[in-house]
């Protein structure tokens, strides 16, 4: 049975994660009556962080990973990296009930609640630069971005001021500075690495990670007190999430209607007006189909979720899905390739330690292929940054070892030597051979499963040869000992496969030409002007920076444009 609710809302937002939360906030604050549809259950800030303050002895498995058989059954994707822990499993989609098809290994991690993955994200927040926005046009891979840094810079500032990003200004053009809260402090070994590495490589820069974690009270939220288990939720609101930040702002307007347990099926198209008029969704508790209508629709269901909605919006008028006159929908899927780098022991500093659990690391700013001859690499285009950190193992390093008794206890009285690691976060090219389609198989709600075909190609493999070598060189230059390189990639296997970074991007890219792209410069569908896609699906290239800050800025900018057009009577 289909239930109709006609002309109730000015806007519909699909998804309540990082971009859905921003769309809700911006549209509601601009006066639009807005419905947010979220496929997962409701999670209230603080109240529903059910493991946040639980001690390990209060849980059956002491807070560790759920049993292997349970993980393989309900979280087959997460089980590739050891499975979810019993402290966080409620924040991830049940893979048994929501399968997808991999033609090549592709790890697709999904949230299943209001707030989506904003409750579990890594929070690293970096701006893109014109080195990134001009990359496709410069080397011919992919289509040109329809925007440049100057178009997005004010919106980066806008979202940074609200979200609260801590970091250090460095004045490096390839990684523009932002509106930062005070930076977190590097520990003793990280400072030694920075000093040694920058002395050996004066053109390279190590900075503390730029992260959406508060170092001072901000917009009614408390500063981080470094307790550690961020992935369980943060009732202080020290890290940015939809729950702590954007959804409360949207609710404060009295313009927001939030509907959990609502899985979007497709868009509704009116052939008489040639406009998208609403959204068709399934109540996941009753499995009844509903239809709601609005003047403008924002798809913020995550990269593959939004594309799945468009692909599934088929009719005789749109047999290949809506917003797909270019044929680009579903194509050019990207992720960052990573899980490679080097580690080593930083000698000395035995009298130095640290307190608390800093939710952050260090960042080595990109230094390859910056557009000059000195940094040009002959074997690949684009670049990478390094993330990493230093620590000392505690007494727990003795668990499971061969020793016992007084000698073991004495040996574990002092922390272990400093260990430092840095790993590459690397750009992947937009490649037509990486794509998603709908399969003939359906999920528990009757929706066609997504079929994913994605793998790394020649440029990514060439870059992977360079990354561990560069990491080892920098560690050794900084004085590290026993340096070893690592690369977890396994041919046609699990280790460093696409999707593993959880930075999936593309499949509904922005572009200047409607014949080769899905969205215009304002994240607006070329084919359907009242439909906007502002999550990772819209990315035209991946750059090498963590992308969520860019999604936020694109969303705020698109909302401003959409409301402006509505006020002009254009939408």
């Amino acid at each position: 049975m289909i239930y109709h609710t006609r002309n109730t809302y000015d806007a519909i937002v699909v998804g309540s994660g990082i971009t859905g939360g921003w769309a809700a906030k911006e549209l509601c604050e601009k006066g639009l009556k807005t419905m947010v549809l979220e496929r997962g259950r409701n999670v209230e800030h603080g109240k529903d962080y059910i493991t946040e303050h639980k001690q390990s002895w209060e849980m059956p498995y002491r807070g560790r990973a759920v049993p292997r058989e349970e993980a393989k059954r309900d979280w087959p994707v997460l089980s590739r990296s050891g499975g979810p822990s019993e402290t966080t499993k409620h924040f991830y989609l049940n893979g048994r009930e929501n399968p997808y098809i991999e033609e090549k290994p592709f790890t697709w991690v999904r949230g299943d609640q209001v707030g989506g993955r904003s409750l579990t994200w890594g929070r690293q927040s970096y701006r893109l630069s014109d080195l990134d926005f001009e990359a496709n046009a410069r080397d011919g891979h992919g289509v040109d971005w329809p925007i440049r840094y100057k178009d997005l810079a004010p919106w980066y500032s806008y979202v940074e001021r609200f979200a609260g990003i801590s970091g250090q200004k460095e004045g490096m053009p390839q990684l523009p500075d932002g509106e930062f809260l005070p930076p977190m402090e590097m520990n003793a070994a990280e400072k030694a690495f920075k000093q040694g590495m920058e002395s050996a490589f004066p053109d390279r820069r190590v900075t503390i990670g730029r992260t959406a974690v508060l170092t001072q009270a901000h917009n009614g939220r408390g500063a981080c007190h470094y307790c550690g288990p961020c992935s369980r939720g943060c009732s202080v609101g020290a890290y940015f999430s939809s729950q702590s930040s954007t959804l409360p702002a949207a609710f404060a307007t009295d313009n927001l209607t939030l509907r959990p347990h609502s899985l979007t099926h497709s868009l509704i198209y009116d052939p008489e007006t040639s406009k998208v008029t609403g959204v068709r969704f399934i109540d996941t508790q009753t499995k009844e189909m509903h239809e709601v209508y609005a003047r403008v629709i924002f798809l913020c269901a995550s990269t593959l979720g939004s594309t799945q909605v468009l692909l599934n919006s088929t009719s005789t008028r749109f047999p290949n899905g809506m917003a797909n006159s270019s044929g680009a929908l579903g194509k050019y899927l990207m992720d960052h390739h990573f899980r490679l780098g080097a580690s080593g022991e930083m000698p000395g500093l035995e009298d130095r330690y640290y307190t608390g659990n800093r939710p952050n690391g260090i960042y080595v700013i990109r230094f390859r292929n910056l557009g000059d001859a000195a940094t040009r690499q002959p074997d690949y285009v684009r670049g990478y940054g390094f993330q990493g950190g230093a620590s000392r193992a505690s007494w727990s390093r003795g668990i499971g070892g061969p020793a016992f008794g007084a000698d073991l206890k004495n040996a574990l009285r002092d922390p272990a030597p400093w260990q430092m690691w840095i790993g590459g976060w690397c750009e992947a090219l937009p490649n037509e051979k990486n794509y998603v389609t709908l399969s003939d198989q359906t999920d528990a709600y009757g929706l066609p499963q997504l079929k994913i075909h994605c793998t790394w190609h020649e440029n990514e493999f060439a870059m992977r040869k360079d990354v561990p070598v560069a990491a080892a060189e920098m560690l050794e230059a900084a004085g590290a000992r026993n340096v070893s390189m690592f690369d977890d990639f396994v041919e046609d296997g699990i280790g460093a496969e696409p999707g593993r970074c959880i930075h999936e991007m593309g499949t509904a890219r922005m572009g200047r030409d409607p014949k080769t792209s899905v969205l215009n410069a304002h994240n607006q569908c070329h084919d359907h002007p009242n439909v906007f896609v502002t999550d990772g699906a819209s990315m035209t290239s991946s750059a090498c920076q963590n992308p969520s800050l860019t999604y936020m800025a694109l969303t705020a900018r698109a909302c401003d444009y959409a409301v402006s057009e509505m006020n002009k009577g254009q939408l």
Side-chain angles (χ1 to χ4, degrees), residues 70 100 119 121 148 162 175 218 293-294 349 416 506 513 519 538:
E70 181 182 348
Y100 64 97
L119 289 171
W121 68 307
R148 290 294 185 262
F162 181 79
L175 192 74
H218 184 72
Y293 298 85
L349 307 171
D513 188 347
L519 308 171
S538 65

Side-chain angles (χ1 to χ4, degrees), residues 228-291:
C230 306
S231 57
R232 302 182 188 184
C234 179
S235 57
V236 175
Y239 74 76
F240 174 87
S241 68
S242 296
Q243 270 84 353
S244 70
S245 306
T246 46
L247 289 180
F251 274 120
T253 66
D254 287 330
N255 287 327
L256 176 63
T257 300
L258 175 63
R259 197 182 196 288
H261 301 292
S262 302
L263 173 60
T264 296
H265 177 281
S266 55
L267 303 182
I268 302 168
Y269 180 77
D270 182 354
E272 293 186 3
T273 60
S274 300
K275 292 184 66 174
V276 175
T277 55
V279 171
R280 192 177 292 113
F281 70 92
I282 301 166
D283 185 310
T284 57
Q285 295 181 305
T286 65
K287 294 194 176 181
E288 294 170 338
M289 186 81 81
H290 294 252
E291 291 182 351

Side-chain angles (χ1 to χ4, degrees), residues 51-99:
T51 60
E52 182 183 12
H53 295 120
K54 272 193 172 183
Q55 300 300 321
S56 58
W57 57 83
E58 298 179 277
M59 293 175 275
Y61 307 117
R62 303 297 184 256
R64 297 179 179 175
V66 300
R68 182 172 301 178
E69 291 306 314
E70 181 182 348
K72 284 187 175 180
R73 183 192 66 212
D74 291 340
W75 295 279
V77 172
L78 289 175
S79 69
R80 296 171 177 175
S81 54
S85 80
E86 61 181 331
T87 63
T88 59
K89 64 181 183 180
H90 47 283
F91 287 153
Y92 294 98
L93 192 70
N94 185 301
R96 173 168 48 87
E97 297 175 355
N98 303 275

Side-chain angles (χ1 to χ4, degrees), residues 9-297:
Y9 302 99
D10 298 314
I12 297 170
V13 177
V14 178
S16 63
I18 281 181
T19 56
W22 267 104
K25 171 186 176 299
E26 295 302 303
L27 297 173
C28 286
E29 289 183 339
K30 294 178 186 300
L32 270 60
K33 294 294 184 183
T34 302
M35 167 173 267
V36 172
L37 299 173
E38 166 55 50
R39 66 171 296 158
R41 65 193 171 88
N42 194 22
V43 168
E44 293 186 27
H45 184 54
K47 171 178 171 290
D48 292 326
Y49 303 152
I50 56 177
T51 60
E52 182 183 12
H53 295 120
K54 272 193 172 183
Q55 300 300 321
S56 58
W57 57 83
E58 298 179 277
M59 293 175 275
Y61 307 117
R62 303 297 184 256
R64 297 179 179 175
V66 300
R68 182 172 301 178
E69 291 306 314
E70 181 182 348
K72 284 187 175 180
R73 183 192 66 212
D74 291 340
W75 295 279
V77 172
L78 289 175
S79 69
R80 296 171 177 175
S81 54
S85 80
E86 61 181 331
T87 63
T88 59
K89 64 181 183 180
H90 47 283
F91 287 153
Y92 294 98
L93 192 70
N94 185 301
R96 173 168 48 87
E97 297 175 355
N98 303 275
Y100 64 97
I101 297 170
E102 303 165 89
E103 295 188 326
K104 293 279 188 178
F106 186 94
T107 295
W108 187 17
V109 176
R110 292 170 281 178
D112 191 26
Q113 64 280 321
V114 168
R117 295 186 301 199
S118 77
L119 289 171
T120 57
W121 68 307
R123 302 173 294 281
Q124 291 291 295
S125 301
Y126 302 96
R127 295 187 179 198
L128 272 58
S129 71
D130 272 338
L131 182 68
D132 307 301
F133 288 114
E134 296 174 358
N136 286 5
R138 187 167 51 245
D139 60 35
H141 295 279
V143 298
D144 189 18
W145 279 86
I147 59 173
R148 290 294 185 262
Y149 178 69
K150 64 180 175 57
D151 299 309
L152 206 55
W155 295 100
Y156 276 129
S157 295
Y158 179 79
V159 299
E160 287 167 345
R161 285 195 295 268
F162 181 79
I165 310 296
S166 65
Q168 177 73 47
K169 293 189 176 184
E170 299 289 355
M172 304 290 278
Q174 67 270 40
L175 192 74
D177 295 326
E179 312 269 340
F180 297 139
L181 299 179
M184 296 181 185
E185 186 178 5
M186 294 184 192
N187 61 40
E190 292 164 349
K191 290 176 181 176
F193 170 73
K194 174 180 172 64
Q195 183 177 23
M197 194 283 280
E198 291 181 353
S199 295
F201 301 98
D203 58 331
R204 302 181 190 179
R205 185 69 54 82
V206 182
T207 190
I208 188 69
R210 297 172 177 176
T211 181
V213 181
L214 304 182
T215 51
Q216 63 186 31
H218 184 72
N219 288 341
R221 297 156 47 205
C224 179
H225 49 276
Y226 297 179
C227 64
C230 306
S231 57
R232 302 182 188 184
C234 179
S235 57
V236 175
Y239 74 76
F240 174 87
S241 68
S242 296
Q243 270 84 353
S244 70
S245 306
T246 46
L247 289 180
F251 274 120
T253 66
D254 287 330
N255 287 327
L256 176 63
T257 300
L258 175 63
R259 197 182 196 288
H261 301 292
S262 302
L263 173 60
T264 296
H265 177 281
S266 55
L267 303 182
I268 302 168
Y269 180 77
D270 182 354
E272 293 186 3
T273 60
S274 300
K275 292 184 66 174
V276 175
T277 55
V279 171
R280 192 177 292 113
F281 70 92
I282 301 166
D283 185 310
T284 57
Q285 295 181 305
T286 65
K287 294 194 176 181
E288 294 170 338
M289 186 81 81
H290 294 252
E291 291 182 351
V292 289
Y293 298 85
R295 291 175 61 190
V296 65
I297 295 159

Side-chain angles (χ1 to χ4, degrees), residues 20 59 150 171 186 200 265 304 327 353 381 388 412 425 514 558:
M59 293 175 275
K150 64 180 175 57
M186 294 184 192
H265 177 281
L304 297 181
Y353 200 63
V381 298
L412 298 179
W425 264 247

